[in-house]
Amino acid sequence: GVDLQVCTSKNPTCCTKKMEERYQTAAKQDIQQVLQTSSATLKFLISRNAAAFQETFEMLIRLAENYTSTVFCNAYRNMAAEATEHVQEFFTDVGLFLFGTDISTEEFVNRFFDTLFPVVYNHVINPGPTGISLEYAECLRGARRDIRPFGNIPKKAIGQMGRALLHSRTFLQALNLGIEVINTTDHLHFSKDCSRALLRMQYCPHCQGLTLSKPCMGYCLNIIRGCLADVAEVDLPWRGYIQSLEELSRAMSGAHDIEHVLLNFHSLVNDALVQARINGPELSEQVNKICGPPVGKPKESPGCSFGENKDNQGLKMFSRDSEETLANRRKEFISHLRLYRAFYGSLADQLCGNELAAADGLPCWNGEDVIRSYTHRVVGSGIKAQSANPEVKVKGTDPVISQIIDKLKHVIQV
């Protein structure tokens, strides 16, 4: 083949232009394969944990909802059917917020206590033979924040929920971003210059019948550091990302732990109901001032539809050691993740050392010939260092990588 583009040589060649093109495709596929293999355990670590944490959070929400509904079934049976509806709405909001919907915790905690007030008024504060009209219930809902029938408990709930849910939501979002970073760097778009350099390194020796020779270590480092110049820039934000996750994980323990807050919510609700009952007469007076005397309609009070469903046994067992397991699982995950802090900084060395280059002291390919050792200068990692790269010209930055770096910086701030 006289018309070769990359694998030109003084020596005779057994390659045609067509073969060279096929080798070019193979060289690109090889490097993609090697990249994906090197990140596979890291990707699996993060995605497995993201799924496990999400599943645990869903379980905790179900459990907390059951506990809270049980409070009404056990102590306030006559209003349980109405109240559990509001309990369900509340925990639906908890789930929406936790898994990324933009709603305010303060709003949905307030809404829960607002909607609870007419029910409590009707059954606990002013339990007459008749119920209250919709208009009257609406007036009570609107007046709850002024009357404060539940004292400072709603405020306490807002503080606890806000913090614990935000921590866990951010933790999940960060894990999902980690997966996105790896998916991005696993599927790089290589420049023409880099693709040709990869072809010269991996397959040009075949054209001279040198099918067993591997590239020299220094030669391999120059080419892979040139091709992965952008990816090396992910190194610093990636280290910062892992450190931030570690700090967040530490802040998630104790009183701000999601399981602690969710599984104790039922006792806050119980305290709120006790407070309303104790202050009943006083509250009645305030209500009369704001909403007038109660306007009635026939009272229906279906019993408690929330039975000891079969779910509960499994949930009770789960709750006993859930705090232990969740904190431990987080700790264990972070300690595994820390082993990958330098993943992006040492990626080129890893690929050349483990997969691509010849072992030290063996004859190796330098892009033209098989020689004893590589004589050109070996450049460092990252974009700036590439200006002196003898094997690959690196122009500009990859916008896809810049975008993922921005996302990492953003999540670190969050």
Side-chain angles (χ1 to χ4, degrees):
V2 281
D3 49 358
L4 298 183
Q5 300 285 300
V6 182
C7 298
T8 49
S9 152
K10 313 184 285 293
N11 309 332
T13 174
C14 57
C15 284
T16 59
K17 193 161 189 260
K18 190 95 188 128
M19 281 169 73
E20 191 183 51
E21 280 162 16
R22 282 163 65 185
Y23 272 143
Q24 176 67 87
T25 308
K28 275 203 267 196
Q29 281 170 348
D30 287 354
I31 196 81
Q32 291 278 11
Q33 188 65 55
V34 170
L35 273 173
Q36 285 165 25
T37 307
S38 68
S39 65
T41 46
L42 170 59
K43 186 170 159 180
F44 180 63
L45 172 71
I46 301 178
S47 52
R48 190 190 64 217
N49 276 280
F53 284 118
Q54 177 154 342
E55 198 181 317
T56 307
F57 293 159
E58 283 166 3
M59 184 83 152
L60 280 169
I61 292 170
R62 281 218 324 274
L63 183 56
E65 184 182 321
N66 283 6
Y67 279 4
T68 311
S69 297
T70 305
V71 168
F72 291 101
C73 285
N74 292 348
Y76 303 92
R77 221 173 167 73
N78 55 349
M79 64 168 171
E82 282 175 84
T84 48
E85 217 175 287
H86 302 310
V87 171
Q88 274 169 354
E89 278 168 24
F90 172 74
F91 282 103
T92 301
D93 284 337
V94 168
L96 286 172
F97 178 81
L98 198 51
F99 302 125
T101 308
D102 262 336
I103 48 178
S104 138
T105 38
E106 184 172 351
E107 243 167 70
F108 68 73
V109 174
N110 268 327
R111 185 164 58 239
F112 171 66
F113 286 105
D114 290 349
T115 51
L116 196 58
F117 183 37
V119 184
V120 172
Y121 178 81
N122 201 6
H123 292 279
V124 178
I125 298 168
N126 187 33
T130 58
I132 51 174
S133 68
L134 285 174
E135 290 78 9
Y136 198 75
E138 194 52 56
C139 177
L140 290 173
R141 244 198 307 277
R144 195 272 306 171
R145 295 176 209 196
D146 295 329
I147 297 175
R148 299 184 66 233
F150 307 120
N152 70 341
I153 285 173
K155 194 175 170 192
K156 194 172 168 185
I158 287 167
Q160 288 183 0
M161 281 281 172
R163 189 153 177 177
L165 292 179
L166 184 62
H167 281 173
S168 295
R169 166 191 170 118
T170 307
F171 189 74
L172 279 183
Q173 282 174 336
L175 295 194
N176 288 321
L177 176 64
I179 300 166
E180 190 187 332
V181 171
I182 298 160
N183 281 338
T184 303
T185 56
D186 270 359
H187 299 92
L188 286 176
H189 180 73
F190 295 111
S191 71
K192 191 170 179 184
D193 206 69
C194 156
S195 301
R196 290 179 155 207
L198 289 169
L199 164 61
R200 195 178 312 115
M201 175 175 93
Q202 285 172 277
Y203 289 111
C204 285
H206 290 206
C207 296
Q208 298 179 35
L210 305 168
T211 50
L212 298 177
S213 68
K214 285 183 124 183
C216 305
M217 182 54 107
Y219 175 54
C220 178
L221 284 174
N222 275 340
I223 288 179
I224 302 298
R225 282 177 181 167
C227 287
L228 300 185
D230 284 307
V231 176
E233 299 296 324
V234 179
D235 179 44
L236 271 178
W238 180 256
R239 287 169 189 266
Y241 161 79
I242 291 181
Q243 191 189 335
S244 303
L245 259 180
E246 202 174 337
E247 285 165 19
L248 176 63
S249 180
R250 275 203 299 271
M252 284 164 83
S253 54
H256 308 305
D257 222 6
I258 185 167
E259 56 278 67
H260 178 80
V261 170
L262 285 177
L263 298 184
N264 285 302
F265 182 72
H266 69 97
S267 66
L268 275 185
V269 171
N270 196 42
D271 294 348
L273 296 171
V274 169
Q275 200 149 346
R277 197 171 58 212
I278 292 170
N279 301 329
E282 204 178 302
L283 291 173
S284 269
E285 241 172 79
Q286 279 178 282
V287 166
N288 288 348
K289 270 186 208 154
I290 297 177
C291 298
V295 179
K297 69 173 182 38
K299 184 182 265 186
E300 319 151 28
S301 58
C304 186
S305 59
F306 177 82
E308 274 292 311
N309 55 7
K310 8 178 230 316
D311 232 7
N312 266 9
Q313 283 327 100
L315 290 171
K316 279 205 182 81
M317 275 163 49
F318 168 81
S319 72
R320 204 165 311 125
D321 49 1
S322 76
E323 292 196 38
E324 215 21 67
T325 54
L326 204 69
N328 283 348
R329 187 185 291 160
R330 266 199 311 266
K331 216 178 260 167
E332 194 185 331
F333 165 61
I334 295 290
S335 70
H336 285 269
L337 189 61
R338 285 187 58 176
L339 305 173
Y340 292 94
R341 269 182 314 200
F343 178 75
Y344 284 108
S346 60
L347 193 52
D349 305 64
Q350 233 181 308
L351 301 189
C352 290
N354 298 346
E355 301 273 343
L356 302 169
D360 263 357
L362 292 179
C364 55
W365 172 256
N366 71 350
E368 290 169 5
D369 263 316
V370 172
I371 48 158
R372 278 260 154 246
S373 69
Y374 183 67
T375 51
H376 289 301
R377 169 184 174 179
V378 179
V379 297
S381 291
I383 300 270
K384 283 200 182 80
Q386 302 316 308
S387 57
N389 194 324
E391 307 295 344
V392 191
K393 282 186 181 49
V394 177
K395 305 184 196 67
T397 51
D398 180 346
V400 179
I401 298 287
S402 303
Q403 191 184 14
I404 210 77
I405 288 174
D406 288 342
K407 285 185 178 181
L408 279 171
K409 286 178 179 168
H410 175 70
V411 90
I412 289 168
Q413 279 183 312
V414 173

PDB file of all heavy atoms in Angstrom, residues 66 307-316:
ATOM      1  N   ASN A  66     -46.872   4.288  58.269  1.00  0.00           N
ATOM      2  CA  ASN A  66     -47.623   3.294  59.049  1.00  0.00           C
ATOM      3  C   ASN A  66     -47.640   3.646  60.534  1.00  0.00           C
ATOM      4  O   ASN A  66     -48.670   3.562  61.184  1.00  0.00           O
ATOM      5  CB  ASN A  66     -47.003   1.911  58.859  1.00  0.00           C
ATOM      6  CG  ASN A  66     -47.389   1.301  57.515  1.00  0.00           C
ATOM      7  OD1 ASN A  66     -48.024   1.959  56.697  1.00  0.00           O
ATOM      8  ND2 ASN A  66     -47.004   0.058  57.279  1.00  0.00           N
ATOM      9  N   GLY A 307     -55.568  -1.267  59.037  1.00  0.00           N
ATOM     10  CA  GLY A 307     -55.434  -2.439  59.910  1.00  0.00           C
ATOM     11  C   GLY A 307     -53.981  -2.758  60.163  1.00  0.00           C
ATOM     12  O   GLY A 307     -53.082  -2.141  59.622  1.00  0.00           O
ATOM     13  N   GLU A 308     -53.767  -3.787  60.982  1.00  0.00           N
ATOM     14  CA  GLU A 308     -52.404  -4.304  61.146  1.00  0.00           C
ATOM     15  C   GLU A 308     -52.109  -5.094  59.877  1.00  0.00           C
ATOM     16  O   GLU A 308     -52.227  -6.304  59.852  1.00  0.00           O
ATOM     17  CB  GLU A 308     -52.361  -5.243  62.359  1.00  0.00           C
ATOM     18  CG  GLU A 308     -52.141  -4.545  63.681  1.00  0.00           C
ATOM     19  CD  GLU A 308     -50.727  -3.948  63.755  1.00  0.00           C
ATOM     20  OE1 GLU A 308     -49.756  -4.677  63.455  1.00  0.00           O
ATOM     21  OE2 GLU A 308     -50.612  -2.777  64.091  1.00  0.00           O
ATOM     22  N   ASN A 309     -51.756  -4.406  58.817  1.00  0.00           N
ATOM     23  CA  ASN A 309     -51.577  -5.143  57.556  1.00  0.00           C
ATOM     24  C   ASN A 309     -50.316  -5.992  57.600  1.00  0.00           C
ATOM     25  O   ASN A 309     -49.426  -5.760  58.404  1.00  0.00           O
ATOM     26  CB  ASN A 309     -51.579  -4.188  56.353  1.00  0.00           C
ATOM     27  CG  ASN A 309     -50.544  -3.103  56.513  1.00  0.00           C
ATOM     28  OD1 ASN A 309     -49.752  -3.139  57.446  1.00  0.00           O
ATOM     29  ND2 ASN A 309     -50.550  -2.155  55.607  1.00  0.00           N
ATOM     30  N   LYS A 310     -50.244  -6.949  56.676  1.00  0.00           N
ATOM     31  CA  LYS A 310     -49.155  -7.915  56.745  1.00  0.00           C
ATOM     32  C   LYS A 310     -47.798  -7.241  56.594  1.00  0.00           C
ATOM     33  O   LYS A 310     -46.799  -7.718  57.074  1.00  0.00           O
ATOM     34  CB  LYS A 310     -49.295  -9.012  55.681  1.00  0.00           C
ATOM     35  CG  LYS A 310     -50.365  -8.841  54.662  1.00  0.00           C
ATOM     36  CD  LYS A 310     -50.335  -9.964  53.669  1.00  0.00           C
ATOM     37  CE  LYS A 310     -50.347  -9.467  52.242  1.00  0.00           C
ATOM     38  NZ  LYS A 310     -51.316  -8.372  52.040  1.00  0.00           N
ATOM     39  N   ASP A 311     -47.809  -6.088  55.918  1.00  0.00           N
ATOM     40  CA  ASP A 311     -46.575  -5.335  55.752  1.00  0.00           C
ATOM     41  C   ASP A 311     -45.885  -5.054  57.077  1.00  0.00           C
ATOM     42  O   ASP A 311     -44.679  -5.034  57.172  1.00  0.00           O
ATOM     43  CB  ASP A 311     -46.931  -3.982  55.117  1.00  0.00           C
ATOM     44  CG  ASP A 311     -46.080  -3.740  53.898  1.00  0.00           C
ATOM     45  OD1 ASP A 311     -45.358  -4.671  53.538  1.00  0.00           O
ATOM     46  OD2 ASP A 311     -46.147  -2.649  53.330  1.00  0.00           O
ATOM     47  N   ASN A 312     -46.719  -4.806  58.082  1.00  0.00           N
ATOM     48  CA  ASN A 312     -46.167  -4.277  59.327  1.00  0.00           C
ATOM     49  C   ASN A 312     -45.123  -5.166  59.988  1.00  0.00           C
ATOM     50  O   ASN A 312     -44.185  -4.671  60.564  1.00  0.00           O
ATOM     51  CB  ASN A 312     -47.297  -4.022  60.334  1.00  0.00           C
ATOM     52  CG  ASN A 312     -47.749  -2.587  60.228  1.00  0.00           C
ATOM     53  OD1 ASN A 312     -47.328  -1.886  59.320  1.00  0.00           O
ATOM     54  ND2 ASN A 312     -48.584  -2.150  61.134  1.00  0.00           N
ATOM     55  N   GLN A 313     -45.303  -6.493  59.904  1.00  0.00           N
ATOM     56  CA  GLN A 313     -44.349  -7.359  60.587  1.00  0.00           C
ATOM     57  C   GLN A 313     -42.948  -7.136  60.032  1.00  0.00           C
ATOM     58  O   GLN A 313     -42.012  -6.882  60.769  1.00  0.00           O
ATOM     59  CB  GLN A 313     -44.761  -8.829  60.446  1.00  0.00           C
ATOM     60  CG  GLN A 313     -45.893  -9.226  61.360  1.00  0.00           C
ATOM     61  CD  GLN A 313     -45.885  -8.485  62.694  1.00  0.00           C
ATOM     62  OE1 GLN A 313     -46.611  -7.526  62.917  1.00  0.00           O
ATOM     63  NE2 GLN A 313     -45.020  -8.914  63.608  1.00  0.00           N
ATOM     64  N   GLY A 314     -42.842  -7.182  58.700  1.00  0.00           N
ATOM     65  CA  GLY A 314     -41.539  -6.976  58.055  1.00  0.00           C
ATOM     66  C   GLY A 314     -40.981  -5.616  58.415  1.00  0.00           C
ATOM     67  O   GLY A 314     -39.788  -5.460  58.671  1.00  0.00           O
ATOM     68  N   LEU A 315     -41.871  -4.622  58.441  1.00  0.00           N
ATOM     69  CA  LEU A 315     -41.410  -3.264  58.709  1.00  0.00           C
ATOM     70  C   LEU A 315     -40.900  -3.124  60.137  1.00  0.00           C
ATOM     71  O   LEU A 315     -39.908  -2.465  60.389  1.00  0.00           O
ATOM     72  CB  LEU A 315     -42.550  -2.266  58.460  1.00  0.00           C
ATOM     73  CG  LEU A 315     -42.940  -2.089  56.990  1.00  0.00           C
ATOM     74  CD1 LEU A 315     -44.209  -1.270  56.876  1.00  0.00           C
ATOM     75  CD2 LEU A 315     -41.832  -1.430  56.198  1.00  0.00           C
ATOM     76  N   LYS A 316     -41.595  -3.768  61.072  1.00  0.00           N
ATOM     77  CA  LYS A 316     -41.160  -3.652  62.475  1.00  0.00           C
ATOM     78  C   LYS A 316     -39.752  -4.229  62.641  1.00  0.00           C
ATOM     79  O   LYS A 316     -38.910  -3.669  63.312  1.00  0.00           O
ATOM     80  CB  LYS A 316     -42.128  -4.404  63.380  1.00  0.00           C
ATOM     81  CG  LYS A 316     -43.374  -3.580  63.695  1.00  0.00           C
ATOM     82  CD  LYS A 316     -44.000  -4.005  65.002  1.00  0.00           C
ATOM     83  CE  LYS A 316     -45.263  -3.216  65.285  1.00  0.00           C
ATOM     84  NZ  LYS A 316     -46.424  -3.753  64.564  1.00  0.00           N
TER      85      LYS A 316
END
